Amino acid sequence: MPETITPAVPPTPPVTLSALLAREDLGLRQIAGPTDPGIVIHWAHTSEMADPYPYLLGGELLLTAGVHIPEGPDVSAYFDDYVSRIVAAGGAALGFGLAPVHDTVPPALVAACESRRLPLLEVPPQTTFSGVARAVWQLMAQARLAELRRVTEAQQSLAAAAARQDPVPSVLRQLAQRLGGRAVLYGPDGTEVAGAGREPAASPGASREPAASPGASREPAVGAGASREPVEGAGAALAALAGVVRPAAGTTTPPDPTDRRPHAPGTPPAPGTRPQPAATPPGTWLTPITSSARPQAAATPSARPQPAATPSATPGAPPPRPQPSSATDAFGATHLAVYALGAGEGFVLGVATPRREPGDHTIASVAAVLLTLLTGEHQSGAGAARSSALVRLLLGAPPGEVAPLLGAGRWLVVHARPEAQAPDPVAASALGAALGSPLVDLGGDVVRVLVPADREPAPQPGWTLGVSAPAEPHEWPAADTQAARALARARATRAPLLRHAARPALADLVPPADAETHARSLLAPLSGQPALAETLRSWLSLHGSWDRTAVALGVHRNTVRQRIARCAGLLGADLDDPDVRMELWFALRRG
């Protein structure tokens, strides 16, 4: 006999069998099987096949008039096999029509359904099977409408809570009230930042030991002989489950150097790293959040969350599973669900409810979006630090005094231009996020980004980048010039990214004061004519290429020729002589 399959239920609210029996227009009567009010059906299906197993998806109310029943005095064995196949296929109930073949329900069928604990309904002669199917769909539509109304009311109340003076506790309180359980916001280090509602009471006899998921290995997850401390209480199980969706150290984007928020109570993370999530026991059911999928409750009746397996670095091993954005589990009769907030700060929303109702996932997702906005960067100390830095600069503070608000260490200046059209604020912000910095300036057709020096900028599709050498705050203006020149060379050479060369040169062997005096003297004829000096600099850096220089400067090639000829005349130099070019290049670097 095949194993019982899990019903492939549709993304629609189920209908309780008791609600269908309560329809007076149908006149249905249950004559065998369990009468649990929690029994649900997902659709109605009519079949006269002797073996309906191959044609059932699970969750059906199977309707039959008994045409397939063989003639004979003893059909008990037939009915036992027939009912067992329905149960194995995941059928929810069986409806037997009294017309036109049979006047009564066969006693052997009643006994088989009672033995196999399959609800058996008697369908009166005046009730058609199509009428039963229509009633099922009507009840589904009513349940769907009630679910939508509940979700809409919850969205409105959550949005109103987010506008209060204490938005985070208000949203959690409203969420806990709407779901009838407990809602908790966990910080990046795994500690509880805020919570609301009551923790669902543990069901009698609920196991504190983890239940392995189907097909999961029973080997220890942390080395041979590793001990596992049981998770006590649904609250502790929920906190452990939150570690499954919290980004682990080394697997997230680099930390924001402008973030100066105090961490939640507990051990603070090491500078520049994400805190390690609390160890979670293995066996967790992971459910990525999607807009169309309805999450299913965990199949294990009393499981506690376990840590996801550490990705193996063994050659040939399968690639690590992507970080889930949500996870569900069960602790006894308590349903657990966690949602990673989208701000990337490591905050997690956890929900513990005594049952899983239609619409719960949608309501919790709305709360997760609101909490993402409330815990995002613009609400944090990072945004406040940048605002403070801007105010201080406007009031005359030097960059060296302002820089500690943005983060310690040296910085890179990145200039970027899109390959297609002029950049807009959205594209500029996206570029900053890709480079790992929120410090973005959009000016004209160039985007400037200030990036911590420990983050190595990479080529970005659709952009041309120029990167300066690492610079201290007082060197930012010079680094800005370096990035602009690197961008010009990158565009001229059609390279996706070019870095300013910061290695020592021969000119560095000359004392800086003497080199600057010589440069001023040599370039004196070009003083007051920055366009000529910049054209000469670009032309020399691009090995005398007229076309590339024109591209770098955004002018016509004839303009470049005229400017270089003018430079040669003013300087009285032969620009075809490599020695002259070298001397002028050294001077331009110091000038």
Side-chain angles (χ1 to χ4, degrees):
M1 181 181 297
E3 296 182 359
T4 302
I5 64 174
T6 301
V9 298
T12 54
V15 174
T16 62
L17 186 60
S18 58
L20 190 63
L21 291 170
R23 290 281 297 255
E24 296 182 357
D25 58 320
L26 299 178
L28 303 179
R29 184 170 65 94
Q30 183 171 351
I31 59 177
T35 59
D36 182 0
I39 297 176
V40 297
I41 57 177
H42 294 274
W43 36 43
H45 177 66
T46 302
S47 175
E48 297 298 338
M49 302 295 294
D51 181 13
Y53 181 93
Y55 309 98
L56 299 180
L57 296 176
E60 296 95 345
L61 167 61
L62 179 63
L63 299 171
T64 179
V67 177
H68 56 87
I69 299 176
E71 297 181 358
D74 187 10
V75 291
S76 298
Y78 174 83
F79 282 126
D80 284 341
D81 182 64
Y82 177 71
V83 173
S84 65
R85 296 286 285 176
I86 297 174
V87 173
L94 175 65
F96 193 88
L98 296 184
V101 182
H102 298 270
D103 296 331
T104 60
V105 181
L109 177 59
V110 176
C113 289
E114 191 68 40
S115 174
R116 299 288 182 177
R117 297 190 58 77
L118 177 69
L120 176 61
L121 310 184
E122 180 187 80
V123 183
Q126 69 273 14
T127 301
T128 62
F129 288 172
S130 60
V132 175
R134 182 179 59 185
V136 170
W137 288 113
Q138 287 175 346
L139 291 172
M140 283 185 175
Q142 294 173 7
R144 180 62 173 169
L145 181 60
E147 176 187 341
L148 292 176
R149 184 181 297 111
R150 174 174 175 253
V151 170
T152 300
E153 293 174 352
Q155 288 176 337
Q156 294 173 348
S157 62
L158 288 170
R164 295 174 184 169
Q165 293 184 348
D166 54 342
V168 171
S170 297
V171 169
L172 293 175
R173 284 195 299 268
Q174 193 61 233
L175 179 61
Q177 178 182 347
R178 292 289 174 175
L179 301 186
R182 179 164 176 78
V184 181
L185 176 65
Y186 297 103
D189 59 355
T191 58
E192 180 176 325
V193 176
R198 294 184 178 181
E199 181 177 319
S203 58
S207 171
R208 293 297 191 267
E209 290 301 318
S213 57
S217 172
R218 297 185 180 275
E219 294 298 322
V222 193
S227 61
R228 293 174 181 167
E229 294 296 332
V231 177
E232 295 295 338
L238 183 65
L241 181 63
V244 174
V245 298
R246 182 179 300 109
T251 62
T252 63
T253 56
D256 186 350
T258 66
D259 193 348
R260 289 292 180 269
R261 278 181 296 172
H263 291 277
T267 304
T273 61
R274 291 283 188 190
Q276 290 285 357
T280 38
T284 302
W285 294 70
L286 305 179
T287 310
I289 298 178
T290 62
S291 59
S292 59
R294 181 184 305 277
Q296 303 297 324
T300 48
S302 57
R304 64 188 174 110
Q306 306 280 353
T310 302
S312 173
T314 305
R321 180 180 299 176
Q323 187 76 25
S325 55
S326 72
T328 62
D329 205 344
F331 185 83
T334 301
H335 182 86
L336 310 177
V338 292
Y339 302 82
L341 302 190
E345 299 291 331
F347 288 93
V348 177
L349 170 64
V351 177
T353 55
R355 57 192 175 277
R356 185 69 165 178
E357 298 288 349
D360 283 3
H361 170 68
T362 303
I363 295 173
S365 297
V366 171
V369 172
L370 292 173
L371 291 172
T372 295
L373 298 175
L374 294 173
T375 58
E377 188 178 289
H378 64 286
Q379 295 284 349
S380 67
R386 288 202 300 276
S387 298
S388 177
L390 175 60
V391 171
R392 294 190 187 185
L393 283 174
L394 292 175
L395 296 179
E401 178 182 324
V402 173
L405 294 172
L406 305 177
R410 297 194 297 172
W411 296 75
L412 299 173
V413 178
V414 178
H415 280 216
R417 284 188 63 171
E419 298 174 357
Q421 57 188 12
D424 53 39
V426 175
S429 298
L431 175 65
L435 296 177
S437 175
L439 304 174
V440 181
D441 171 51
L442 172 60
D445 56 356
V446 175
V447 177
R448 300 188 298 176
V449 186
L450 197 58
V451 180
D454 58 353
R455 302 185 190 181
E456 189 69 17
Q460 301 297 320
W463 292 87
T464 302
L465 276 63
V467 184
S468 74
E472 298 290 344
H474 67 276
E475 300 172 325
W476 285 351
D480 185 51
T481 302
Q482 293 174 0
R485 292 170 180 170
L487 174 62
R489 292 198 62 197
R491 295 185 66 245
T493 58
R494 298 182 180 180
L497 184 149
L498 279 182
R499 293 174 173 81
H500 176 79
R503 63 180 181 273
L506 292 176
D508 296 324
L509 301 178
V510 181
D514 295 343
E516 291 172 3
T517 301
H518 174 71
R520 285 195 299 270
S521 175
L522 184 61
L523 299 175
L526 303 182
S527 61
Q529 303 184 63
L532 293 181
E534 185 61 28
T535 301
L536 180 59
R537 182 195 305 276
S538 298
W539 184 73
L540 291 174
S541 70
L542 295 171
H543 311 291
S545 172
W546 309 107
D547 292 332
R548 290 183 178 182
T549 305
V551 171
L553 297 177
V555 298
H556 194 274
R557 59 180 303 188
N558 289 340
T559 302
V560 176
R561 289 181 179 273
Q562 293 171 3
R563 290 180 180 178
I564 295 301
R566 179 65 173 160
C567 290
L570 292 174
L571 295 172
D574 180 9
L575 297 183
D576 291 331
D577 187 336
D579 291 334
V580 173
R581 290 191 182 191
M582 183 178 298
E583 186 177 7
L584 287 173
W585 177 249
F586 288 156
L588 287 166
R589 290 194 61 189
R590 290 294 183 181

